[in-house]
Amino acid sequence: MTEACIRTAVEAIHSSPYQAVLYLAGGASQALGLLLSVPGASNTVLEAVVPYSRMSLIQLLAKIPSQFCSQQTAQDMALLAYNRALKLSTPGSPVVGVGFTGSLASSRPKHGEHRFYLSTRTAERLWISRVTLTKGLRTREEEDKVSSHLLLKAIANACKVPSNAISEMSELDVSDECEKQFNEDQELEQLINGQICFKIYPFRSEIPAERKIILPGSFNPLHDGHLKLMEVATRICGDGYPCFEISAVNADKPPLSVSQIKDRVNQFEKAGETVIISNQPYFYKKAELFPGSAFVIGADTAVRLVNPKYYDGDYNKMLKILIGCKETGCTFLVAGRNVDGAFKVLEDLDVPEELKDMFISIPAEQFRMDISSTEIRKRSGM
């Protein structure tokens, strides 16, 4: 394997639109150096974590695996990496999660096989491979090199770029692989079930900014008031990528069905507006999912957000949760809405002093539209 072949594959990875998070344990360490040493790495690598000790891997997985070096562990690592990549990526960029776990040659002779498992996860595909190396054929450094090159090949395949020249296997080594393909319905089912954290439909034609301006709602239906509010909020923010957001999971209702989600997504496709489907109905969870974002809400939502009643009547609990949102870098843009029969704006609300700089008012002279999706449904008999 020549350095030129490796470099060509890495350059192709960096030229692809894919962004990646890598979780590697027990080998493939040279893959990181190869990825990061070629210009353009920041286009691809969002984060790389090496949970090398058992305790580190347990904390990453949030469980004790039945086997640390196994297909299931690599698959779990890839899924965690995929969800992490969704959170860190530029809106609309395709992402890949990479998981690797190995048991290679070490300072002490091994009774078991020298083997490793690697897995990649994208929106539409889960790929898993097991490789068993011939004992005594290579040094630890050479086994790490083999695993690193095969990991780069897996990343290239996930990014849909050529990688045929990458091969370090001997005739005595054994490998097998399997994959699962996902369609949109299956991906949405995974979202509803909590396996993946969100799915983004990037229908806007403009180049996405890193910061998101998010208008959450049910959008049943989407109407002109929503579109106008987003337009005004984007102007006030000055920068950011406008995204509407629907939680498929509700706090006090059954989750949306796949067909309901797709019907609502169709509205945004027609309007040319980006929409995110998440599974987090609570704002403190949305803040963890979309750190640094500006959330666009109505005064009616803001009233509930700063009311201890919705935090088991505990003012300190409310403060702690909302300060946690603030620490993620999130802000709330508040538009005037009718609250208990009266039109109210942010200045009419009792916001705790510690939180005031997290809330930004949308002046009534810039936006006021009393139409609601509920009223539209009533008028149309929906």
Side-chain angles (χ1 to χ4, degrees), residues 111-177:
H111 295 296
E113 298 169 323
H114 293 199
R115 70 191 191 282
F116 57 85
Y117 299 85
L118 42 90
S119 178
T120 58
R121 170 66 203 248
T122 61
E124 69 280 352
R125 179 176 176 260
L126 170 68
W127 178 86
I128 308 156
S129 176
R130 171 190 166 123
V131 176
T132 304
L133 299 174
T134 308
K135 258 185 172 181
L137 184 65
R138 305 174 181 90
T139 65
R140 167 61 186 236
E141 185 179 2
E142 289 168 340
E143 288 190 352
D144 189 86
K145 184 178 181 181
V146 172
S147 62
S148 295
H149 288 181
L150 290 176
L151 185 67
L152 287 177
K153 183 173 183 176
I155 295 170
N157 288 340
C159 295
K160 301 177 182 177
V161 298
S163 62
N164 294 334
I166 301 178
S167 179
E168 292 285 339
M169 300 278 289
S170 81
E171 292 181 358
L172 298 175
D173 299 325
V174 178
S175 71
D176 59 80
E177 60 185 65

Side-chain angles (χ1 to χ4, degrees), residues 19 21 23 46 80-91 95 196-198 210 212 279-280 285-293:
Q19 297 184 304
V21 167
Y23 291 155
L46 297 166
L80 287 167
Y82 175 76
N83 278 309
R84 180 69 173 158
L86 284 174
K87 296 175 186 178
L88 298 178
S89 62
T90 304
V95 301
I196 61 174
C197 57
F198 67 84
E210 192 166 312
K212 301 179 186 77
N279 53 19
Q280 296 297 347
K285 288 292 187 181
K286 293 182 195 291
E288 292 174 5
L289 206 53
F290 310 112
S293 296

Side-chain angles (χ1 to χ4, degrees), residues 12-269:
I13 291 169
H14 292 340
S15 296
S16 81
Y18 280 82
Q19 297 184 304
V21 167
L22 297 85
Y23 291 155
L24 314 178
S29 63
Q30 296 171 51
L32 285 181
L34 293 167
L35 280 170
L36 299 177
S37 63
V38 175
S42 60
N43 296 336
T44 304
V45 181
L46 297 166
E47 184 176 84
V49 177
V50 182
Y52 212 76
S53 73
R54 288 191 166 219
M55 191 54 67
S56 178
L57 188 54
I58 288 168
Q59 289 191 11
L60 175 72
L61 298 172
K63 65 179 182 182
I64 300 174
S66 57
Q67 282 188 291
F68 285 83
C69 182
S70 68
Q71 176 177 312
Q72 186 61 53
T73 298
Q75 182 177 324
D76 290 346
M77 293 168 78
L79 182 59
L80 287 167
Y82 175 76
N83 278 309
R84 180 69 173 158
L86 284 174
K87 296 175 186 178
L88 298 178
S89 62
T90 304
S93 295
V95 301
V96 55
V98 180
F100 176 97
T101 178
S103 178
L104 306 182
S106 67
S107 56
R108 295 188 299 266
K110 273 190 165 61
H111 295 296
E113 298 169 323
H114 293 199
R115 70 191 191 282
F116 57 85
Y117 299 85
L118 42 90
S119 178
T120 58
R121 170 66 203 248
T122 61
E124 69 280 352
R125 179 176 176 260
L126 170 68
W127 178 86
I128 308 156
S129 176
R130 171 190 166 123
V131 176
T132 304
L133 299 174
T134 308
K135 258 185 172 181
L137 184 65
R138 305 174 181 90
T139 65
R140 167 61 186 236
E141 185 179 2
E142 289 168 340
E143 288 190 352
D144 189 86
K145 184 178 181 181
V146 172
S147 62
S148 295
H149 288 181
L150 290 176
L151 185 67
L152 287 177
K153 183 173 183 176
I155 295 170
N157 288 340
C159 295
K160 301 177 182 177
V161 298
S163 62
N164 294 334
I166 301 178
S167 179
E168 292 285 339
M169 300 278 289
S170 81
E171 292 181 358
L172 298 175
D173 299 325
V174 178
S175 71
D176 59 80
E177 60 185 65
C178 61
E179 69 173 78
K180 296 178 186 176
Q181 300 280 347
F182 307 117
N183 59 31
E184 182 185 5
D185 286 14
Q186 291 170 319
E187 193 181 356
L188 290 173
E189 287 284 4
Q190 291 169 8
L191 186 148
I192 294 166
N193 295 334
Q195 289 176 264
I196 61 174
C197 57
F198 67 84
K199 177 174 174 61
I200 187 165
Y201 292 85
F203 295 131
R204 284 184 78 95
S205 56
E206 66 194 64
I207 297 173
E210 192 166 312
R211 186 188 189 210
K212 301 179 186 77
I213 302 167
I214 298 175
L215 175 51
S218 59
F219 306 110
N220 184 28
L222 174 69
H223 57 68
D224 288 343
H226 296 135
L227 299 173
K228 176 66 176 174
L229 178 54
M230 178 62 92
E231 181 186 321
V232 171
T234 303
R235 194 163 59 241
I236 289 172
C237 282
D239 67 328
Y241 184 63
C243 305
F244 294 84
E245 184 254 348
I246 299 171
S247 176
V249 177
N250 295 290
D252 49 9
K253 297 177 186 176
L256 298 177
S257 67
V258 168
S259 61
Q260 286 175 318
I261 294 170
K262 291 172 79 171
D263 285 344
R264 295 190 196 181
V265 167
N266 285 340
Q267 302 175 106
F268 293 93
E269 184 173 17

